[in-house]
Amino acid sequence: MTSILFVCTGNIFRSVVAEYALKAALGREERYRVGSAGIAAIPQPMHPLIDARLREKGADPSHHVQRRLTEALLDSTDLLVAMGLDHREFIHRRFGREALLFNQICYGVEDSVLDIHEAVPDFARNLDAALAYAARAIDHIWDSAPLFVEHLEAGRIVAWAPSE
């Protein structure tokens, strides 16, 4: 069984959405174990908008438990997927491991799926824009999951290597 791990910052937004999106796209496929973790997972609840949007998609995130990325978790992972460039760099610097970017796997581009504070710098004062971005990011991840599966099944996912 191939294990796939999505990594973001807190494991309550991007990586968990990718986890549930890929599980939905895989359907009853049992050759893969899919999970998520955060590089700085500090116990906090998932935002109600994220929870609601996942439920709209048919996922039930009520059993999600935040996990912090650890060496042991990495040792049990076959395919490590970073949601952002900063996560990929952290994984390489801290653990000496290589990770592919989500958008790199799906679209062949080295772009991050930005966190809310990166996409909407004044998110605390501009809640409507922050929530709108979160909804778009969730839709992007969810809509991209079938491409992820297509590339996974076709063997088009190759390891990322940092440039020297």
Side-chain angles (χ1 to χ4, degrees), residues 3-150:
S3 63
I4 301 168
L5 185 70
F6 294 101
V7 178
C8 71
T9 305
N11 192 217
I12 57 169
F13 175 34
R14 297 166 290 170
S15 63
V16 73
V17 170
E19 173 187 350
Y20 282 97
L22 185 59
K23 286 177 178 177
L26 287 168
R28 297 188 179 273
E29 175 61 59
E30 296 182 9
R31 291 183 296 151
Y32 303 100
R33 184 179 72 239
V34 182
S36 62
I39 62 172
I42 300 165
Q44 58 187 310
M46 184 181 297
H47 190 280
L49 171 90
I50 296 164
D51 182 272
R53 197 71 166 203
L54 282 171
R55 289 178 189 279
E56 286 172 15
K57 305 280 187 193
D60 178 8
S62 62
H63 300 295
H64 175 68
V65 176
Q66 276 180 291
R67 292 193 296 181
R68 182 180 289 259
L69 187 62
T70 63
E71 189 79 38
L73 193 51
L74 288 171
D75 287 344
S76 67
T77 299
D78 298 308
L79 177 58
L80 188 57
V81 183
M83 299 308 291
L85 290 164
D86 55 335
H87 308 123
R88 183 173 76 181
E89 291 165 8
F90 174 88
I91 291 164
H92 182 70
R93 188 175 57 255
R94 173 79 161 75
F95 297 104
R97 307 286 176 98
E98 308 307 335
L100 294 168
L101 293 172
F102 180 82
N103 282 329
Q104 182 181 18
I105 290 171
C106 297
Y107 300 103
V109 296
E110 290 211 21
D111 286 335
S112 298
V113 176
L114 298 177
D115 203 350
I116 294 168
H117 74 277
E118 295 169 314
V120 184
D122 64 338
F123 72 96
R125 293 186 316 273
N126 195 348
L127 189 57
D128 289 341
L131 295 176
Y133 171 76
R136 286 192 312 275
I138 292 167
D139 290 347
H140 167 74
I141 294 167
W142 200 272
D143 294 344
S144 301
L147 281 172
F148 191 106
V149 172
E150 180 182 322

